[in-house]
Amino acid sequence: MAINKQEHAQWSSSFGFVLAAVGSAVGLGNIWKFPYMVGESGGSAFVIAYLFCIALVGFPILVAEWLIGRRGQKNPVNTFADVAASEGKSRSWGIVGATGILGGFLILSFYSVIGGWALNYITKVGTGSFVGQDSDSVAATFDAMLASAGTLTIWHTVFMALTALIVGIGVTKGIETTAKVLMPLLGVILFVIVGYNVINGGFGEAVAYLFTPDLSKLTADVMLAALGHAFFTLSIGMGIMVAYGSYLGREVNLLKTARTVVILDTVIALAAGLAIFPIIFSNGLDPASGPGLIFVSLPIAFGSMGAGTIIGTLFFLLITFAAITSSISLLEPTVEFLEERTPMNRTVSTIVASTVIWLLGIAALLSFNLWSEFTIMGNGIFDALDKITSKFLLPLTGLAAIIFLAWKMDQRTIQQELGLSNGAWQLWQIVAKFVAPIAVIVVFVTSLMG
């Protein structure tokens, strides 16, 4: 039974909500994962596929999660259960909210470890640790960090403590205020780095790499990778957008707001590419170097280029800001659930949730060193958490959300709430009922077979 201790929080403004939602979407997926996926998947071919998938899959599921969250005005479990009951359906739909909360909970445990890497690299680059280093030395530095359980634990703890502090303060004073500060700073840092690249070379090559259409590389694998990333980058399927939607007022236009969030998220992802690839190309490095692109390839460049210490420090500040705006959104659904379903207040709920996630993160980081021999179905703890969430919890939760909205809820009230004319409504129905669910099912089945 829910314990109603206080009035449900609300965003102070639609602008604050947009920045919080963009902050959630613009995380390591945009600044770290998107560039190396572009590099591995043929440059412009991946960008084309990504934009297509964002529009046809990410956008409708994002709107669905906000709409359901706003209808319920509670934590994701209660929201799905209450909205289902109001539609004459089983309250068992609350399981969808539970899987979303679980997904965000598990993701944050290893996400915080990577956030700790970024914090660590601010100090390394800022103190000139990579100046004059060759590729072997930089790679050895990264490997040494992973091999040190103590180092990883310290930085994981600092990052998790920052996340808990912000969430514990509250929705408006903590999450919304942080987004209003960090998102503009993130944009300024991106602008500075891209501007530096325009002046110092490699920019034209990067633009061609990202935006020159090369349909010959648009393979089925590239499409599947793009669809999976589009799903992840908008923070859907994690309970986040349902929780954020529960703090929304009825005056917010969901379609226009979703369009703004999707555009800003995509622009920042592409800007990250323009911040990274000119540096890669101008230093003769490999754009397809995978996850090591950020923590190995770029530090080599920062150590050898003019103003590399300044640009490198700004870059890892950018990575850290993006990680924090996402981590607070990953923690929020669990805190909201504990706050509403237990006698604990927000502060205690935050401490309990973040402590358990921190402990799971310790297990994840130990898989790089002391527990490297321990595996779960052939994967270390870190990789197992990643695969469980990305291959199972996220796609299944997102699929359930769009099916619930498009097939189980009263469609007349949804049309009115979205403010769609008959023609636009028919298009929405096709995308929400068929295109998005089928695309998610294809990715899910294919990932299981891979």
Side-chain angles (χ1 to χ4, degrees):
M1 179 181 294
I3 299 176
N4 297 317
K5 293 169 287 192
Q6 59 185 28
E7 186 179 350
H8 197 71
Q10 296 283 295
W11 301 106
S12 67
S13 66
S14 58
F15 175 71
F17 165 67
V18 167
L19 287 183
V22 173
S24 176
V26 177
L28 290 173
N30 288 69
I31 312 296
W32 177 50
K33 195 172 183 180
F34 178 79
Y36 84 68
M37 290 187 76
V38 170
E40 290 182 328
S41 303
S44 61
F46 181 84
V47 174
I48 292 169
Y50 172 76
L51 294 175
F52 181 79
C53 295
I54 279 281
L56 291 182
V57 181
F59 181 84
I61 295 179
L62 177 63
V63 172
E65 293 196 358
W66 281 350
L67 189 147
I68 294 167
R70 185 165 69 177
R71 288 274 186 97
Q73 292 286 301
K74 293 178 182 175
N75 66 81
V77 176
N78 282 68
T79 282
F80 270 96
D82 290 355
V83 173
S86 69
E87 297 282 347
K89 305 298 187 295
S90 170
R91 293 185 63 86
S92 297
W93 279 97
I95 294 173
V96 178
T99 60
I101 292 175
L102 178 61
F105 180 93
L106 295 178
I107 288 170
L108 182 53
S109 68
F110 65 85
Y111 195 96
S112 177
V113 175
I114 304 172
W117 299 355
L119 280 172
N120 188 11
Y121 266 60
I122 292 174
T123 62
K124 287 185 182 299
V125 176
T127 55
S129 297
F130 298 112
V131 174
Q133 299 294 306
D134 59 19
S135 58
D136 290 339
S137 298
V138 174
T141 298
F142 183 63
D143 291 340
M145 179 186 71
L146 294 185
S148 173
T151 299
L152 293 181
T153 299
I154 289 170
W155 291 108
H156 161 58
T157 301
V158 173
F159 186 87
M160 199 64 224
L162 286 172
T163 301
L165 177 63
I166 294 167
V167 172
I169 294 173
V171 174
T172 54
K173 293 182 179 180
I175 297 174
E176 188 174 343
T177 299
T178 300
K180 286 179 177 178
V181 173
L182 291 188
M183 289 311 297
L185 282 175
L186 186 149
V188 169
I189 293 173
L190 258 181
F191 178 80
V192 169
I193 297 175
V194 171
Y196 174 89
N197 290 335
V198 171
I199 297 170
N200 289 277
F203 190 76
E205 192 175 354
V207 170
Y209 183 72
L210 283 169
F211 301 111
T212 301
D214 186 357
L215 299 181
S216 66
K217 295 181 179 178
L218 199 58
T219 64
D221 287 342
V222 170
M223 283 296 297
L224 290 172
L227 185 53
H229 187 62
F231 200 87
F232 182 84
T233 190
L234 287 178
S235 300
I236 50 183
M238 310 176 199
I240 294 171
M241 292 307 176
V242 177
Y244 276 19
S246 73
Y247 304 129
L248 271 179
R250 300 284 295 185
E251 74 282 357
V252 175
N253 185 304
L254 296 182
L255 289 174
K256 288 183 179 179
T257 306
R259 183 177 62 200
T260 301
V261 169
V262 166
I263 290 173
L264 288 174
D265 175 67
T266 304
V267 166
I268 292 174
L270 295 174
L274 293 175
I276 291 169
F277 288 119
I279 297 173
I280 293 294
F281 291 135
S282 62
N283 286 272
L285 300 172
D286 182 9
S289 53
L293 183 70
I294 300 300
F295 293 101
V296 178
S297 297
L298 282 177
I300 297 171
F302 295 142
S304 62
M305 59 194 265
T309 298
I310 297 173
I311 296 298
T313 303
L314 286 174
F315 180 79
F316 282 103
L317 275 172
L318 169 71
I319 292 282
T320 302
F321 289 167
I324 288 175
T325 56
S326 286
S327 67
I328 58 179
S329 68
L330 287 164
L331 181 57
E332 176 59 28
T334 302
V335 170
E336 183 187 31
F337 176 80
L338 291 176
E339 187 182 13
E340 293 182 357
R341 295 289 294 261
T342 73
M344 295 185 291
N345 61 22
R346 186 172 187 86
T347 300
V348 177
S349 296
T350 303
I351 292 171
V352 170
S354 58
T355 299
V356 177
I357 292 171
W358 174 80
L359 288 171
L360 186 56
I362 296 292
L365 66 86
L366 289 177
S367 66
F368 292 110
N369 37 74
L370 300 180
W371 291 359
S372 60
E373 299 299 319
F374 178 78
T375 60
I376 302 172
M377 298 181 67
N379 296 288
I381 297 173
F382 186 98
D383 289 335
L385 289 168
D386 185 12
K387 290 184 177 180
I388 288 169
T389 51
S390 64
K391 286 195 171 186
F392 293 95
L393 290 178
L394 267 61
L396 290 178
T397 303
L399 176 63
I402 194 66
I403 288 175
F404 180 68
L405 180 89
W407 292 95
K408 299 298 180 180
M409 294 177 65
D410 180 73
Q411 298 301 293
R412 290 172 298 177
T413 60
I414 292 174
Q415 182 180 5
Q416 292 170 0
E417 192 164 340
L418 296 180
L420 291 173
S421 62
N422 288 335
W425 174 247
Q426 294 301 319
L427 178 60
W428 167 267
Q429 290 272 280
I430 292 171
V431 172
K433 285 192 171 185
F434 303 105
V435 176
I438 290 172
V440 174
I441 291 170
V442 169
V443 170
F444 177 66
V445 173
T446 305
S447 67
L448 292 182
M449 296 171 60

